[in-house]
C-alpha cells in the first residue's frame, strides 16, 4: 500500500528540507541521496539516522525487510 497522497504532498527531506518521492518501499531525496524506509507498507521512517544511501536502496531494488 502506498503512502497517503496527502502525506506525500507535505513530506520533505528532514536533512535538506527538499522534495521527496516514493520509490517502492522508500521515500527518496535526490538532493541528499538518502532513502527513508517505509514501514508496515505505509508509515515513512523519516529519521536521518535510519536512512539508507540511495545507492544501497537502488541495489536492493527499493525493497527491505525492516519490521517494527
Amino acid at each position: 500500500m502506498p503512502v497517503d497522497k496527502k502525506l506525500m504532498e507535505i513530506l520533505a527531506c528532514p536533512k535538506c528540507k527538499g522534495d521527496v518521492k516514493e520509490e517502492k518501499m522508500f521515500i527518496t531525496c535526490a538532493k541528499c541521496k538518502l532513502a527513508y524506509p517505509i514501514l508496515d507498507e505505509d508509515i515513512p521512517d523519516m529519521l536521518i539516522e535510519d536512512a539508507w544511501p540511495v545507492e544501497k536502496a537502488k541495489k536492493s531494488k527499493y525493497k527491505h525487510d525492516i519490521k517494527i
Side-chain angles (χ1 to χ4, degrees):
M1 176 187 300
V3 175
D4 184 270
K5 288 184 184 205
K6 288 183 181 182
L7 178 58
M8 284 303 300
E9 289 174 10
I10 61 172
L11 275 180
C13 175
K15 185 172 182 182
C16 73
K17 311 299 184 244
D19 292 334
V20 294
K21 68 178 184 176
E22 189 170 359
E23 299 272 354
K24 295 184 182 176
M25 298 177 82
F26 289 90
I27 304 289
T28 61
C29 174
K31 184 176 179 182
C32 292
K33 299 189 184 331
L34 292 175
Y36 301 92
I38 300 171
L39 309 175
D40 285 351
E41 298 182 24
D42 63 351
I43 303 168
D45 176 355
M46 300 300 287
L47 296 174
I48 296 169
E49 58 267 18
D50 291 345
W52 294 22
V54 165
E55 286 303 315
K56 179 181 175 183
K58 217 182 265 188
K59 285 180 184 175
S60 74
K61 298 182 177 157
Y62 295 101
K63 295 184 180 182
H64 64 72
D65 60 0
I66 302 169
K67 305 285 184 213
I68 54 171

Short mmCIF file of all heavy atoms in Angstrom, two decimals:
data_model
loop_
_atom_site.label_atom_id
_atom_site.label_comp_id
_atom_site.label_asym_id
_atom_site.label_seq_id
_atom_site.Cartn_x
_atom_site.Cartn_y
_atom_site.Cartn_z
N MET A 1 0.85 -1.18 0.00
CA MET A 1 0.00 0.00 0.00
C MET A 1 0.89 1.25 0.00
O MET A 1 1.79 1.37 0.83
CB MET A 1 -0.88 -0.01 1.25
CG MET A 1 -1.74 1.23 1.40
SD MET A 1 -2.63 1.34 2.95
CE MET A 1 -3.62 -0.11 2.91
N PRO A 2 0.67 2.16 -0.91
CA PRO A 2 1.49 3.36 -0.96
C PRO A 2 1.17 4.32 0.20
O PRO A 2 0.11 4.25 0.81
CB PRO A 2 1.14 3.99 -2.30
CG PRO A 2 -0.17 3.41 -2.68
CD PRO A 2 -0.28 2.08 -2.00
N VAL A 3 2.11 5.21 0.45
CA VAL A 3 1.91 6.25 1.45
C VAL A 3 0.79 7.17 0.97
O VAL A 3 0.68 7.46 -0.23
CB VAL A 3 3.22 7.04 1.67
CG1 VAL A 3 3.02 8.21 2.61
CG2 VAL A 3 4.31 6.12 2.19
N ASP A 4 -0.03 7.62 1.89
CA ASP A 4 -1.16 8.50 1.58
C ASP A 4 -0.69 9.70 0.73
O ASP A 4 0.31 10.33 1.05
CB ASP A 4 -1.80 8.99 2.88
CG ASP A 4 -3.03 9.82 2.64
OD1 ASP A 4 -2.87 11.05 2.51
OD2 ASP A 4 -4.12 9.24 2.59
N LYS A 5 -1.42 10.01 -0.32
CA LYS A 5 -1.03 11.10 -1.23
C LYS A 5 -0.97 12.45 -0.53
O LYS A 5 -0.09 13.26 -0.81
CB LYS A 5 -2.00 11.17 -2.41
CG LYS A 5 -1.82 10.02 -3.37
CD LYS A 5 -2.71 10.16 -4.58
CE LYS A 5 -2.53 8.92 -5.43
NZ LYS A 5 -2.84 9.13 -6.80
N LYS A 6 -1.89 12.70 0.39
CA LYS A 6 -1.87 13.98 1.12
C LYS A 6 -0.62 14.09 1.99
O LYS A 6 -0.03 15.16 2.10
CB LYS A 6 -3.13 14.13 1.96
CG LYS A 6 -4.36 14.38 1.14
CD LYS A 6 -5.56 14.61 2.00
CE LYS A 6 -6.78 14.82 1.11
NZ LYS A 6 -7.98 15.10 1.87
N LEU A 7 -0.21 12.97 2.58
CA LEU A 7 1.02 12.98 3.38
C LEU A 7 2.23 13.22 2.48
O LEU A 7 3.11 14.01 2.82
CB LEU A 7 1.17 11.65 4.14
CG LEU A 7 2.44 11.49 4.98
CD1 LEU A 7 2.55 12.59 6.03
CD2 LEU A 7 2.47 10.12 5.64
N MET A 8 2.26 12.59 1.32
CA MET A 8 3.38 12.79 0.39
C MET A 8 3.50 14.25 -0.05
O MET A 8 4.60 14.74 -0.28
CB MET A 8 3.25 11.88 -0.83
CG MET A 8 3.61 10.42 -0.58
SD MET A 8 5.28 10.17 0.05
CE MET A 8 6.29 10.85 -1.25
N GLU A 9 2.37 14.94 -0.14
CA GLU A 9 2.39 16.35 -0.55
C GLU A 9 3.09 17.23 0.48
O GLU A 9 3.68 18.26 0.11
CB GLU A 9 0.96 16.85 -0.77
CG GLU A 9 0.30 16.30 -2.00
CD GLU A 9 -1.16 16.70 -2.13
OE1 GLU A 9 -1.62 17.58 -1.36
OE2 GLU A 9 -1.85 16.14 -3.00
N ILE A 10 3.05 16.86 1.75
CA ILE A 10 3.65 17.71 2.79
C ILE A 10 5.00 17.20 3.28
O ILE A 10 5.72 17.93 3.96
CB ILE A 10 2.70 17.91 3.99
CG1 ILE A 10 2.36 16.59 4.67
CG2 ILE A 10 1.43 18.63 3.55
CD1 ILE A 10 1.60 16.72 5.96
N LEU A 11 5.36 15.96 2.95
CA LEU A 11 6.65 15.43 3.40
C LEU A 11 7.80 16.14 2.71
O LEU A 11 7.71 16.50 1.54
CB LEU A 11 6.76 13.93 3.09
CG LEU A 11 6.17 12.96 4.09
CD1 LEU A 11 6.38 11.53 3.61
CD2 LEU A 11 6.75 13.13 5.47
N ALA A 12 8.87 16.33 3.47
CA ALA A 12 10.11 16.90 2.94
C ALA A 12 11.26 16.14 3.57
O ALA A 12 11.11 15.53 4.63
CB ALA A 12 10.20 18.38 3.27
N CYS A 13 12.40 16.19 2.94
CA CYS A 13 13.58 15.54 3.49
C CYS A 13 13.95 16.23 4.81
O CYS A 13 14.06 17.46 4.86
CB CYS A 13 14.74 15.66 2.50
SG CYS A 13 16.30 15.02 3.15
N PRO A 14 14.10 15.47 5.89
CA PRO A 14 14.43 16.10 7.17
C PRO A 14 15.84 16.69 7.20
O PRO A 14 16.12 17.57 8.00
CB PRO A 14 14.29 14.97 8.18
CG PRO A 14 14.38 13.72 7.41
CD PRO A 14 13.91 14.03 6.02
N LYS A 15 16.70 16.27 6.29
CA LYS A 15 18.08 16.77 6.28
C LYS A 15 18.18 18.10 5.53
O LYS A 15 18.73 19.06 6.05
CB LYS A 15 19.01 15.74 5.66
CG LYS A 15 20.47 16.14 5.73
CD LYS A 15 21.37 15.02 5.29
CE LYS A 15 22.83 15.45 5.44
NZ LYS A 15 23.73 14.41 4.98
N CYS A 16 17.64 18.15 4.31
CA CYS A 16 17.80 19.36 3.49
C CYS A 16 16.49 20.13 3.28
O CYS A 16 16.50 21.19 2.68
CB CYS A 16 18.40 19.00 2.14
SG CYS A 16 17.25 18.14 1.03
N LYS A 17 15.39 19.57 3.72
CA LYS A 17 14.04 20.15 3.55
C LYS A 17 13.60 20.15 2.09
O LYS A 17 12.67 20.86 1.71
CB LYS A 17 13.94 21.56 4.12
CG LYS A 17 14.48 21.72 5.53
CD LYS A 17 13.75 20.86 6.53
CE LYS A 17 14.26 21.12 7.93
NZ LYS A 17 14.89 20.01 8.57
N GLY A 18 14.26 19.35 1.26
CA GLY A 18 13.93 19.28 -0.17
C GLY A 18 12.79 18.33 -0.47
O GLY A 18 12.27 17.64 0.41
N ASP A 19 12.42 18.29 -1.74
CA ASP A 19 11.34 17.42 -2.21
C ASP A 19 11.76 15.95 -2.13
O ASP A 19 12.93 15.62 -2.29
CB ASP A 19 10.98 17.75 -3.66
CG ASP A 19 10.34 19.12 -3.79
OD1 ASP A 19 9.73 19.58 -2.81
OD2 ASP A 19 10.45 19.71 -4.88
N VAL A 20 10.77 15.11 -1.87
CA VAL A 20 10.99 13.67 -1.82
C VAL A 20 9.97 12.98 -2.72
O VAL A 20 8.96 13.57 -3.08
CB VAL A 20 10.87 13.12 -0.37
CG1 VAL A 20 11.97 13.66 0.51
CG2 VAL A 20 9.50 13.42 0.23
N LYS A 21 10.28 11.74 -3.09
CA LYS A 21 9.33 10.95 -3.87
C LYS A 21 9.34 9.52 -3.36
O LYS A 21 10.30 9.07 -2.73
CB LYS A 21 9.62 11.02 -5.36
CG LYS A 21 10.89 10.33 -5.80
CD LYS A 21 11.05 10.43 -7.30
CE LYS A 21 12.26 9.66 -7.75
NZ LYS A 21 12.39 9.64 -9.20
N GLU A 22 8.27 8.81 -3.65
CA GLU A 22 8.13 7.43 -3.21
C GLU A 22 8.72 6.49 -4.26
O GLU A 22 8.45 6.62 -5.45
CB GLU A 22 6.65 7.11 -2.98
CG GLU A 22 6.42 5.79 -2.32
CD GLU A 22 4.98 5.59 -1.89
OE1 GLU A 22 4.14 6.49 -2.10
OE2 GLU A 22 4.69 4.52 -1.34
N GLU A 23 9.56 5.57 -3.79
CA GLU A 23 10.17 4.54 -4.65
C GLU A 23 9.93 3.20 -3.96
O GLU A 23 10.68 2.83 -3.06
CB GLU A 23 11.68 4.76 -4.79
CG GLU A 23 12.08 6.06 -5.42
CD GLU A 23 12.15 5.99 -6.92
OE1 GLU A 23 12.00 4.89 -7.49
OE2 GLU A 23 12.37 7.04 -7.52
N LYS A 24 8.88 2.51 -4.33
CA LYS A 24 8.50 1.23 -3.74
C LYS A 24 8.46 1.30 -2.21
O LYS A 24 7.52 1.87 -1.68
CB LYS A 24 9.39 0.09 -4.23
CG LYS A 24 9.23 -0.17 -5.71
CD LYS A 24 10.04 -1.35 -6.16
CE LYS A 24 9.88 -1.52 -7.65
NZ LYS A 24 10.71 -2.58 -8.17
N MET A 25 9.46 0.77 -1.51
CA MET A 25 9.44 0.72 -0.04
C MET A 25 10.28 1.82 0.61
O MET A 25 10.68 1.72 1.77
CB MET A 25 9.92 -0.65 0.45
CG MET A 25 9.03 -1.80 -0.01
SD MET A 25 9.64 -3.41 0.48
CE MET A 25 9.05 -3.49 2.15
N PHE A 26 10.54 2.91 -0.13
CA PHE A 26 11.35 4.02 0.37
C PHE A 26 10.78 5.36 -0.07
O PHE A 26 10.11 5.46 -1.09
CB PHE A 26 12.79 3.93 -0.15
CG PHE A 26 13.59 2.81 0.45
CD1 PHE A 26 13.60 1.56 -0.14
CD2 PHE A 26 14.32 3.01 1.60
CE1 PHE A 26 14.33 0.52 0.41
CE2 PHE A 26 15.06 1.98 2.16
CZ PHE A 26 15.07 0.73 1.56
N ILE A 27 11.09 6.39 0.72
CA ILE A 27 10.88 7.78 0.34
C ILE A 27 12.29 8.30 0.05
O ILE A 27 13.16 8.22 0.92
CB ILE A 27 10.25 8.60 1.49
CG1 ILE A 27 8.94 8.00 1.97
CG2 ILE A 27 10.10 10.06 1.09
CD1 ILE A 27 7.78 8.12 1.03
N THR A 28 12.53 8.82 -1.15
CA THR A 28 13.88 9.21 -1.51
C THR A 28 14.04 10.71 -1.71
O THR A 28 13.10 11.40 -2.12
CB THR A 28 14.34 8.50 -2.81
OG1 THR A 28 13.46 8.87 -3.87
CG2 THR A 28 14.35 7.00 -2.64
N CYS A 29 15.23 11.18 -1.39
CA CYS A 29 15.61 12.58 -1.62
C CYS A 29 16.76 12.57 -2.61
O CYS A 29 17.85 12.05 -2.30
CB CYS A 29 16.04 13.24 -0.31
SG CYS A 29 16.68 14.92 -0.56
N ALA A 30 16.55 13.14 -3.79
CA ALA A 30 17.59 13.16 -4.82
C ALA A 30 18.74 14.08 -4.42
O ALA A 30 19.90 13.80 -4.71
CB ALA A 30 16.99 13.61 -6.15
N LYS A 31 18.44 15.17 -3.72
CA LYS A 31 19.47 16.13 -3.34
C LYS A 31 20.46 15.54 -2.33
O LYS A 31 21.67 15.65 -2.50
CB LYS A 31 18.82 17.39 -2.77
CG LYS A 31 19.78 18.49 -2.45
CD LYS A 31 19.05 19.74 -1.97
CE LYS A 31 20.03 20.84 -1.62
NZ LYS A 31 19.34 22.03 -1.12
N CYS A 32 19.95 14.91 -1.28
CA CYS A 32 20.80 14.33 -0.23
C CYS A 32 21.26 12.91 -0.57
O CYS A 32 22.13 12.38 0.10
CB CYS A 32 20.06 14.28 1.10
SG CYS A 32 19.73 15.89 1.80
N LYS A 33 20.61 12.32 -1.56
CA LYS A 33 20.89 10.93 -1.94
C LYS A 33 20.64 9.98 -0.76
O LYS A 33 21.42 9.08 -0.48
CB LYS A 33 22.30 10.78 -2.50
CG LYS A 33 22.51 11.60 -3.76
CD LYS A 33 23.81 11.28 -4.42
CE LYS A 33 24.16 12.10 -5.61
NZ LYS A 33 23.19 12.66 -6.43
N LEU A 34 19.51 10.22 -0.07
CA LEU A 34 19.09 9.37 1.05
C LEU A 34 17.75 8.73 0.73
O LEU A 34 16.92 9.31 0.02
CB LEU A 34 18.97 10.19 2.33
CG LEU A 34 20.28 10.72 2.91
CD1 LEU A 34 19.99 11.60 4.13
CD2 LEU A 34 21.20 9.58 3.31
N ALA A 35 17.56 7.52 1.27
CA ALA A 35 16.31 6.77 1.10
C ALA A 35 15.78 6.41 2.48
O ALA A 35 16.46 5.73 3.25
CB ALA A 35 16.56 5.53 0.27
N TYR A 36 14.60 6.90 2.79
CA TYR A 36 13.97 6.65 4.09
C TYR A 36 13.00 5.48 3.95
O TYR A 36 12.11 5.52 3.09
CB TYR A 36 13.23 7.91 4.55
CG TYR A 36 14.15 9.10 4.69
CD1 TYR A 36 14.35 9.99 3.64
CD2 TYR A 36 14.85 9.32 5.87
CE1 TYR A 36 15.20 11.06 3.75
CE2 TYR A 36 15.71 10.40 6.00
CZ TYR A 36 15.88 11.27 4.93
OH TYR A 36 16.75 12.33 5.05
N PRO A 37 13.15 4.44 4.76
CA PRO A 37 12.29 3.26 4.60
C PRO A 37 10.83 3.54 4.96
O PRO A 37 10.54 4.35 5.84
CB PRO A 37 12.89 2.24 5.56
CG PRO A 37 13.74 3.01 6.51
CD PRO A 37 14.12 4.28 5.83
N ILE A 38 9.95 2.87 4.26
CA ILE A 38 8.51 2.89 4.58
C ILE A 38 8.23 1.60 5.33
O ILE A 38 8.50 0.51 4.84
CB ILE A 38 7.65 2.98 3.30
CG1 ILE A 38 7.98 4.25 2.53
CG2 ILE A 38 6.17 2.92 3.66
CD1 ILE A 38 7.35 4.32 1.15
N LEU A 39 7.72 1.73 6.54
CA LEU A 39 7.47 0.58 7.41
C LEU A 39 6.00 0.19 7.39
O LEU A 39 5.13 1.04 7.23
CB LEU A 39 7.91 0.91 8.84
CG LEU A 39 9.33 1.47 8.98
CD1 LEU A 39 9.59 1.89 10.41
CD2 LEU A 39 10.35 0.48 8.49
N ASP A 40 5.74 -1.08 7.58
CA ASP A 40 4.37 -1.61 7.59
C ASP A 40 3.54 -1.11 6.41
O ASP A 40 2.38 -0.78 6.54
CB ASP A 40 3.66 -1.27 8.90
CG ASP A 40 4.14 -2.13 10.06
OD1 ASP A 40 4.87 -3.10 9.83
OD2 ASP A 40 3.77 -1.82 11.20
N GLU A 41 4.19 -0.97 5.27
CA GLU A 41 3.58 -0.63 3.99
C GLU A 41 3.14 0.82 3.82
O GLU A 41 2.91 1.27 2.72
CB GLU A 41 2.39 -1.55 3.69
CG GLU A 41 2.78 -2.99 3.56
CD GLU A 41 1.62 -3.87 3.21
OE1 GLU A 41 0.64 -3.37 2.63
OE2 GLU A 41 1.69 -5.07 3.50
N ASP A 42 2.99 1.60 4.93
CA ASP A 42 2.51 2.97 4.73
C ASP A 42 3.01 3.98 5.76
O ASP A 42 2.54 5.11 5.79
CB ASP A 42 0.99 2.99 4.67
CG ASP A 42 0.32 2.53 5.97
OD1 ASP A 42 1.02 2.04 6.87
OD2 ASP A 42 -0.91 2.66 6.07
N ILE A 43 3.98 3.62 6.60
CA ILE A 43 4.49 4.53 7.63
C ILE A 43 5.93 4.90 7.29
O ILE A 43 6.84 4.10 7.46
CB ILE A 43 4.44 3.89 9.03
CG1 ILE A 43 3.01 3.45 9.35
CG2 ILE A 43 4.97 4.86 10.08
CD1 ILE A 43 2.91 2.56 10.57
N PRO A 44 6.17 6.12 6.80
CA PRO A 44 7.54 6.50 6.47
C PRO A 44 8.37 6.76 7.73
O PRO A 44 7.94 7.44 8.64
CB PRO A 44 7.38 7.78 5.65
CG PRO A 44 5.99 8.22 5.79
CD PRO A 44 5.20 7.13 6.42
N ASP A 45 9.56 6.19 7.77
CA ASP A 45 10.52 6.42 8.85
C ASP A 45 11.45 7.53 8.36
O ASP A 45 12.38 7.27 7.61
CB ASP A 45 11.30 5.14 9.15
CG ASP A 45 12.39 5.32 10.20
OD1 ASP A 45 12.61 6.46 10.66
OD2 ASP A 45 13.03 4.32 10.54
N MET A 46 11.18 8.76 8.76
CA MET A 46 11.92 9.91 8.24
C MET A 46 13.05 10.35 9.17
O MET A 46 13.46 11.51 9.14
CB MET A 46 10.94 11.07 7.98
CG MET A 46 9.85 10.77 6.98
SD MET A 46 10.44 10.32 5.33
CE MET A 46 11.01 11.90 4.74
N LEU A 47 13.58 9.43 9.96
CA LEU A 47 14.72 9.75 10.82
C LEU A 47 16.00 9.66 9.99
O LEU A 47 16.25 8.65 9.33
CB LEU A 47 14.79 8.78 12.00
CG LEU A 47 13.61 8.83 12.98
CD1 LEU A 47 13.75 7.72 14.01
CD2 LEU A 47 13.55 10.18 13.65
N ILE A 48 16.81 10.69 10.05
CA ILE A 48 18.05 10.73 9.27
C ILE A 48 18.94 9.54 9.59
O ILE A 48 19.51 8.91 8.70
CB ILE A 48 18.80 12.06 9.49
CG1 ILE A 48 17.95 13.23 8.97
CG2 ILE A 48 20.16 12.04 8.79
CD1 ILE A 48 18.46 14.59 9.38
N GLU A 49 19.02 9.17 10.87
CA GLU A 49 19.89 8.06 11.27
C GLU A 49 19.40 6.70 10.76
O GLU A 49 20.18 5.75 10.71
CB GLU A 49 20.11 8.02 12.78
CG GLU A 49 18.85 7.90 13.60
CD GLU A 49 18.26 9.22 14.05
OE1 GLU A 49 18.59 10.28 13.48
OE2 GLU A 49 17.43 9.19 14.98
N ASP A 50 18.15 6.60 10.34
CA ASP A 50 17.61 5.34 9.80
C ASP A 50 17.66 5.29 8.27
O ASP A 50 17.35 4.26 7.67
CB ASP A 50 16.16 5.13 10.25
CG ASP A 50 16.04 4.85 11.74
OD1 ASP A 50 17.07 4.55 12.38
OD2 ASP A 50 14.92 4.95 12.27
N ALA A 51 18.03 6.40 7.64
CA ALA A 51 18.05 6.48 6.18
C ALA A 51 19.17 5.62 5.60
O ALA A 51 20.21 5.43 6.22
CB ALA A 51 18.22 7.93 5.74
N TRP A 52 18.92 5.12 4.41
CA TRP A 52 19.92 4.37 3.64
C TRP A 52 20.47 5.29 2.56
O TRP A 52 19.74 6.17 2.06
CB TRP A 52 19.27 3.20 2.92
CG TRP A 52 18.71 2.10 3.73
CD1 TRP A 52 18.31 2.12 5.04
CD2 TRP A 52 18.43 0.79 3.26
NE1 TRP A 52 17.82 0.91 5.41
CE2 TRP A 52 17.88 0.06 4.33
CE3 TRP A 52 18.59 0.17 2.04
CZ2 TRP A 52 17.50 -1.26 4.21
CZ3 TRP A 52 18.21 -1.15 1.92
CH2 TRP A 52 17.67 -1.87 3.00
N PRO A 53 21.71 5.08 2.13
CA PRO A 53 22.16 5.77 0.93
C PRO A 53 21.30 5.30 -0.26
O PRO A 53 20.93 4.12 -0.32
CB PRO A 53 23.61 5.30 0.76
CG PRO A 53 24.01 4.75 2.10
CD PRO A 53 22.75 4.27 2.74
N VAL A 54 20.96 6.19 -1.16
CA VAL A 54 20.10 5.83 -2.29
C VAL A 54 20.71 4.67 -3.08
O VAL A 54 19.98 3.79 -3.54
CB VAL A 54 19.84 7.05 -3.20
CG1 VAL A 54 19.27 6.63 -4.54
CG2 VAL A 54 18.87 8.00 -2.53
N GLU A 55 22.02 4.65 -3.23
CA GLU A 55 22.66 3.57 -3.99
C GLU A 55 22.38 2.20 -3.36
O GLU A 55 22.15 1.23 -4.06
CB GLU A 55 24.16 3.80 -4.12
CG GLU A 55 24.51 4.90 -5.11
CD GLU A 55 23.95 4.65 -6.50
OE1 GLU A 55 24.06 3.52 -7.01
OE2 GLU A 55 23.40 5.61 -7.08
N LYS A 56 22.40 2.12 -2.02
CA LYS A 56 22.09 0.87 -1.33
C LYS A 56 20.64 0.47 -1.59
O LYS A 56 20.34 -0.70 -1.86
CB LYS A 56 22.35 1.01 0.17
CG LYS A 56 22.03 -0.24 0.96
CD LYS A 56 22.29 -0.04 2.45
CE LYS A 56 21.86 -1.25 3.26
NZ LYS A 56 22.03 -1.03 4.70
N ALA A 57 19.73 1.44 -1.51
CA ALA A 57 18.31 1.16 -1.76
C ALA A 57 18.11 0.71 -3.21
O ALA A 57 17.35 -0.20 -3.48
CB ALA A 57 17.47 2.39 -1.45
N LYS A 58 18.82 1.36 -4.13
CA LYS A 58 18.72 1.01 -5.54
C LYS A 58 19.18 -0.43 -5.77
O LYS A 58 18.54 -1.19 -6.49
CB LYS A 58 19.59 1.97 -6.36
CG LYS A 58 19.02 2.36 -7.69
CD LYS A 58 19.95 3.28 -8.45
CE LYS A 58 19.59 4.71 -8.20
NZ LYS A 58 20.35 5.63 -9.06
N LYS A 59 20.29 -0.81 -5.14
CA LYS A 59 20.81 -2.17 -5.28
C LYS A 59 19.84 -3.21 -4.74
O LYS A 59 19.79 -4.34 -5.22
CB LYS A 59 22.16 -2.31 -4.58
CG LYS A 59 23.28 -1.67 -5.34
CD LYS A 59 24.60 -1.83 -4.61
CE LYS A 59 25.70 -1.08 -5.35
NZ LYS A 59 26.97 -1.11 -4.62
N SER A 60 19.06 -2.83 -3.71
CA SER A 60 18.07 -3.75 -3.16
C SER A 60 16.74 -3.67 -3.91
O SER A 60 15.74 -4.24 -3.48
CB SER A 60 17.84 -3.45 -1.67
OG SER A 60 17.09 -2.27 -1.51
N LYS A 61 16.75 -2.93 -5.03
CA LYS A 61 15.54 -2.72 -5.85
C LYS A 61 14.45 -2.04 -5.04
O LYS A 61 13.26 -2.31 -5.21
CB LYS A 61 15.07 -4.02 -6.47
CG LYS A 61 16.12 -4.59 -7.40
CD LYS A 61 15.66 -5.84 -8.08
CE LYS A 61 16.79 -6.23 -9.02
NZ LYS A 61 16.83 -7.58 -9.38
N TYR A 62 14.87 -1.14 -4.15
CA TYR A 62 13.98 -0.35 -3.30
C TYR A 62 13.07 -1.22 -2.43
O TYR A 62 11.93 -0.87 -2.16
CB TYR A 62 13.16 0.64 -4.12
CG TYR A 62 14.02 1.69 -4.78
CD1 TYR A 62 14.37 1.63 -6.12
CD2 TYR A 62 14.52 2.75 -4.04
CE1 TYR A 62 15.17 2.57 -6.72
CE2 TYR A 62 15.32 3.72 -4.63
CZ TYR A 62 15.65 3.63 -5.97
OH TYR A 62 16.45 4.58 -6.55
N LYS A 63 13.63 -2.37 -1.99
CA LYS A 63 12.90 -3.25 -1.09
C LYS A 63 13.73 -3.48 0.16
O LYS A 63 14.96 -3.44 0.11
CB LYS A 63 12.59 -4.58 -1.76
CG LYS A 63 11.63 -4.44 -2.93
CD LYS A 63 11.27 -5.77 -3.51
CE LYS A 63 10.29 -5.55 -4.67
NZ LYS A 63 9.87 -6.82 -5.23
N HIS A 64 13.07 -3.74 1.28
CA HIS A 64 13.76 -4.04 2.54
C HIS A 64 12.92 -5.03 3.33
O HIS A 64 11.76 -5.30 2.98
CB HIS A 64 14.03 -2.76 3.34
CG HIS A 64 12.79 -2.05 3.79
ND1 HIS A 64 11.97 -2.52 4.79
CD2 HIS A 64 12.21 -0.90 3.35
CE1 HIS A 64 10.96 -1.70 4.97
NE2 HIS A 64 11.07 -0.71 4.09
N ASP A 65 13.49 -5.54 4.42
CA ASP A 65 12.74 -6.44 5.30
C ASP A 65 12.69 -5.93 6.72
O ASP A 65 12.62 -6.68 7.67
CB ASP A 65 13.31 -7.87 5.23
CG ASP A 65 14.77 -7.93 5.66
OD1 ASP A 65 15.34 -6.89 6.01
OD2 ASP A 65 15.33 -9.03 5.64
N ILE A 66 12.68 -4.62 6.88
CA ILE A 66 12.63 -3.98 8.19
C ILE A 66 11.23 -4.13 8.78
O ILE A 66 10.23 -3.86 8.09
CB ILE A 66 13.00 -2.49 8.10
CG1 ILE A 66 14.39 -2.32 7.50
CG2 ILE A 66 12.91 -1.82 9.47
CD1 ILE A 66 14.73 -0.88 7.13
N LYS A 67 11.14 -4.53 10.01
CA LYS A 67 9.86 -4.68 10.71
C LYS A 67 9.86 -3.76 11.94
O LYS A 67 10.88 -3.51 12.54
CB LYS A 67 9.66 -6.12 11.18
CG LYS A 67 9.77 -7.16 10.09
CD LYS A 67 8.56 -7.16 9.22
CE LYS A 67 8.68 -8.29 8.21
NZ LYS A 67 8.10 -8.02 6.95
N ILE A 68 8.66 -3.32 12.32
CA ILE A 68 8.54 -2.54 13.57
C ILE A 68 7.79 -3.32 14.60
O ILE A 68 7.17 -4.30 14.33
CB ILE A 68 7.88 -1.16 13.37
CG1 ILE A 68 6.52 -1.26 12.68
CG2 ILE A 68 8.78 -0.23 12.62
CD1 ILE A 68 5.76 0.03 12.67
#
